Amino acid sequence: AASAVAADAEAALLAATGGTLSAAALLARYCAALHGRLGTYEAVAARVGLDRRTVKRHVEEARRARG
């Protein structure tokens, strides 16, 4: 079951990005998505194991990339 979920997540990611997303861009988008759901940099940082300032940088990077 876990491998099916991973395969679905991979297929969705590749379909959404065309397979061209860098690791840095992926992390930035993930942090931004979590920030939208959780509401604070601190909550995201606790979830992903990063410093809140690093999370803030990634969220701002994702916002700049989206325009």
Side-chain angles (χ1 to χ4, degrees):
S3 62
V5 171
D8 286 346
E10 181 180 1
L13 177 63
L14 290 174
T17 65
T20 60
L21 204 58
S22 69
L26 177 62
L27 181 57
R29 285 189 184 186
Y30 183 58
C31 286
L34 285 177
H35 185 261
R37 288 179 53 206
L38 301 175
T40 66
Y41 299 122
E42 291 81 3
V44 176
R47 174 75 60 94
V48 298
L50 296 172
D51 184 83
R52 67 169 178 74
R53 293 166 295 196
T54 303
V55 168
K56 181 179 179 183
R57 180 174 47 86
H58 287 307
V59 170
E60 290 171 349
E61 199 173 291
R63 289 180 180 156
R64 278 193 304 274
R66 290 207 156 156

